[in-house]
Each structure stands twice: as C-alpha cells, then as structure tokens.
Amino acid sequence: MKKMIYTADELNNADRDELIGIILSLQKNIARMTQNQELILEQIAILRGQRFGRHSEKMNVIDGQMSLFFNEPEATASEPGTQAEEPDFEKVVIRRKKKQKGKREDDLKGMPVTVIKHEMSEEELKEAFPDGKYKRLPDEVYKRLEFHPASFEVKEHHVAVYAGMDDETVVKAQRPKDLLRGSIVTPSLEAAIINGKYVNSLPLYRMEQEFKRNDVNLNRQNMANWTIECADRYLAVLYDYLHKLLYQYHVLQADETTVEVSKDGRAAGSKSYMWIYRTGKSYEEAIVLYEYQKDRKEDHPEEFLKDFQGVCVTDGYQAYHSLEEKTPGLTIAGCWAHARRKYADAQKAIKDEKERKGTLAYDALKQIGAIYKLDNDLAELTPAQRQHRRQLELKPLVDAYFVWVKNTRVKSCQNPRQEKPLPIP
C-alpha cells in the first residue's frame, strides 16, 4: 500500500518519478472523494424530498415496546396471563343510552335532522306587543352539526319452549344462528373490531380502553380470538371466492411490501412480506387481495397466479418477470410509475432549476408526463373506446419514448464523459 502522508523532508529528497507518482495518487484520491461527496449530496437531496419514518403510529402493550404489527390478534390470542375464555354476558356491563339523532348541513343529504323550536311565551309576546297586534314571520333557521359516540344495545333473545302433555316431547322455536356458537359477539360488534383494527389501524388495547369508556368490559384477547375465528370461518371462504373471481379479469396489478411480525416462531421484528393483488383501475368494482408470506420467493406469485390468463402489471422485481416462461397465457407488463421513479430521484438531486431542464432525466419525465396526460384524458371512455384511442394516439408516444431511450443510451455509451447510460426499462 502506498504511503499517504509525507513529511517536508521526504518530499524535498524525492526524485522526479516519485513526485509524479505522489501527485497522480493524490489526483485519484481527490477524484474518488469528489465522486463520493457528490453521491452523498445526491442521496441527501433525495431523502429531503421524501417523508421519513412510518406512516402508522407504533403502539404496543404486548411486549412493553412501542410497536404495532398486523398480526396483533394472533399474538394477543396467545399472550399468557390474560383471560382466554369467552366472557359471561353478566361481566360485560352496558350502560344503556338513548340514541339521539344528529343535525346536518343542507349538503349532507341522507343524514337525520332534529328540528328544535324556539318560541316566545304568551307573556313575552304581550310584553313585546301590548296592543296584541303582531304577525309571525318565517322562522330564522340555523344549523349545527352534532356528533354522538357509539351506542350499545342488548339483544335479549327469548326462545319459546313447548312440551307435550306426555312430558316426553319438547320443542323450541326457531332462533337465528350465532356468529360464533355460545359467544356474545354479534356481526355488528365484530365488524366494529375489524374496522377499528384493520381500517383505522387501532391497536386492540386502544379499542379495549374505548369500550371501557362506554362501560363495556371486553378485553383484547377476547377480541383477538373472535377475529381469528371469524376470519377462519367466514373470511377465508370469501377470500377463496374472490381469488377465483380475480381470474375472470383481464388486467391485474401486483406488488409486495415488507411487514413486521411478532411471535410467529422467529425473532421479534423479523421481516416478512405482504403480497398484494388487485384488479385494474378501469374496472368499476375493485378486488384487492393480500397474501402474507415469510419471504420474497417467486414461488408465491407463481402459485397465486397459476390459473390466471391475462396481463399483470408489476414493478421490475425479477420474480414477476420470470413467471411468463412458467405460466402460459400470463403477460407481465411494466409499471410506468416505477419506470419514472429513478428519473424523478435524479431530478431531486439537482437543486438548480435551470440545470434540471438540461438533463436526460428531465427529457424522460417530460415524455412520460405527456403519456400520463393523454391517458388520463381517456379515463371516462368505455374500455373499447379507450383501447382504440390508445392505439391511435397513445401508442406513438410510447414508441417514441423507447426509441429515444435506445438512441440516448447508444450516444451515452459512445461518449462516456456525458451522463451515465440510461437503463432500458
């Protein structure tokens, strides 16, 4: 390894060849440091344009740490030291509240309205009009919007029991089936738990506290057990039905993202993946299915899409693109949002607006923007009309973009001093 630090005497006594070697070595080091500095500054500029941290707040009472993970019901259901049995109804104390109807603004159609009258008494009218001569004008009307928290109601079922005179025949009147046999949970209650947990991202312990504020004692382990049982008994059947229905669509979208899990036999915080499959935007009713897996292997999308015949839009992850060879009738299409992302990052790394406009990234974004605009203008057309207009007007823009990418790549390779060669999407 060459020496990096020299004393004044060493430099004075060095011959010509040694000095040349020292200077060349210094130039290489300076160039390398400058390049690294530029890369660091670009990364800082990109990160400044992005949001830091997670979008969901991290909460937890399970491990004593601040975390909120999607498999909380499974982890909570197996938590030791808490009540696991189905609670007796007598232990769930409910304070009955009279439900009041709220007021609403005129533009909030369909919301119930309560009219509150404010009138003067006979004494007040005589004081205001001593001669008794007056007429009533149209009321002054103003509106206020009130909010009423969730209310609870006990459904007490009385099932008639009949016995024959022979005291041997006993029959009961028909009764509706319970959501879970022997459980106090009802469809509306479980729907509220699922909505709070998976739509509003509330930890189960927060819902437990909210129930207590309404004088309802439900612990989080009961809620976890109910959610798991209902998912196995009802939602799994619906999931399988939607999975088969998904195959009837021509265009799907797929992606995967990391999730944190707890208490699944691995170390806490282990990285797992949630794979997402959904129908295209052009369909009126969207089907969105999530599939949890512990890894990112291509076996998972291969199994999920094994019977699908159509187009699946994905990012550049190779696991998707290798499926075309294994799955006859499946076409993998690239996502434009992912194709333009690197260009956008390159723009964020350049502070000067004038300098941005002279870059290849700017030219690429301008062309992709024109494609986006034209495609958005076709959003209200029927599928057949949109396909015709895309072939007629949009296809030339897409073809021109790829011709530009290939030509620019060739020129960049021929002149290495210019910007780095563009990757072909």
Side-chain angles (χ1 to χ4, degrees), residues 246 249-254 277-288 308 311-313 386:
L246 201 72
Y249 291 79
H250 179 62
V251 178
L252 302 181
Q253 297 171 334
Y277 305 89
R278 63 156 294 158
T279 54
K281 182 181 177 181
S282 58
Y283 301 114
E284 293 183 1
E285 297 182 359
I287 298 177
V288 183
F308 175 66
V311 179
C312 184
V313 182
R386 185 163 52 248

Side-chain angles (χ1 to χ4, degrees), residues 82-297:
T82 57
Q83 179 183 351
E85 297 79 11
E86 176 69 25
D88 296 331
F89 190 85
E90 289 73 16
K91 295 181 180 180
V92 182
V93 182
I94 299 179
R95 177 189 297 170
R96 304 188 184 191
K97 298 180 181 180
K98 184 178 179 181
K99 185 176 181 180
Q100 299 179 358
K101 295 183 178 180
K103 298 187 233 176
R104 52 144 304 186
E105 300 294 337
D106 288 334
D107 57 343
L108 299 177
K109 295 182 180 179
M111 188 173 289
V113 177
T114 299
V115 177
I116 302 176
K117 295 184 177 295
H118 305 280
E119 299 178 339
M120 297 178 68
S121 65
E122 290 294 333
E123 291 75 11
E124 292 173 330
L125 288 172
K126 288 181 180 179
E127 183 178 352
F129 305 100
D131 56 2
K133 296 180 180 181
Y134 66 89
K135 62 179 181 179
R136 183 163 177 170
L137 301 175
D139 292 350
E140 175 190 353
V141 179
Y142 67 92
K143 297 185 179 182
R144 300 292 183 268
L145 185 63
E146 289 193 1
F147 168 74
H148 299 283
S151 60
F152 296 86
E153 179 183 4
V154 177
K155 294 288 187 179
E156 186 176 85
H157 296 263
H158 291 243
V159 182
V161 182
Y162 305 89
M165 298 303 294
D166 56 3
D167 293 333
E168 293 182 1
T169 303
V170 178
V171 294
K172 296 182 181 180
Q174 291 187 352
R175 51 174 289 181
K177 292 184 178 180
D178 293 327
L179 185 67
L180 298 176
R181 185 175 179 82
S183 174
I184 66 172
V185 67
T186 59
S188 61
L189 178 57
E190 179 57 27
I193 295 171
I194 292 176
N195 180 74
K197 170 62 184 172
Y198 298 104
V199 177
N200 297 330
S201 301
L202 287 175
L204 292 178
Y205 94 95
R206 274 197 172 184
M207 283 187 273
E208 180 181 356
Q209 292 176 341
E210 184 64 23
F211 282 136
K212 285 184 178 179
R213 281 192 284 268
N214 287 276
D215 299 314
V216 177
N217 297 318
L218 293 176
N219 65 48
R220 61 183 182 274
Q221 192 165 26
N222 288 134
M223 290 187 278
N225 290 335
W226 292 341
T227 300
I228 294 172
E229 289 187 49
C230 288
D232 291 340
R233 186 173 300 184
Y234 303 108
L235 297 184
V237 178
L238 177 61
Y239 184 95
D240 293 338
Y241 169 77
L242 292 176
H243 190 180
K244 294 180 179 179
L245 187 62
L246 201 72
Y247 291 156
Q248 300 180 15
Y249 291 79
H250 179 62
V251 178
L252 302 181
Q253 297 171 334
D255 199 2
E256 81 289 336
T257 186
T258 57
V259 292
E260 280 190 15
V261 300
S262 179
K263 299 184 179 180
D264 71 337
R266 297 181 295 167
S270 296
K271 182 185 294 186
S272 300
Y273 289 86
M274 187 68 76
W275 299 73
I276 304 99
Y277 305 89
R278 63 156 294 158
T279 54
K281 182 181 177 181
S282 58
Y283 301 114
E284 293 183 1
E285 297 182 359
I287 298 177
V288 183
L289 296 180
Y290 294 82
E291 184 184 43
Y292 168 77
Q293 297 290 350
K294 292 184 177 181
D295 52 51
R296 203 185 181 197
K297 295 180 180 178

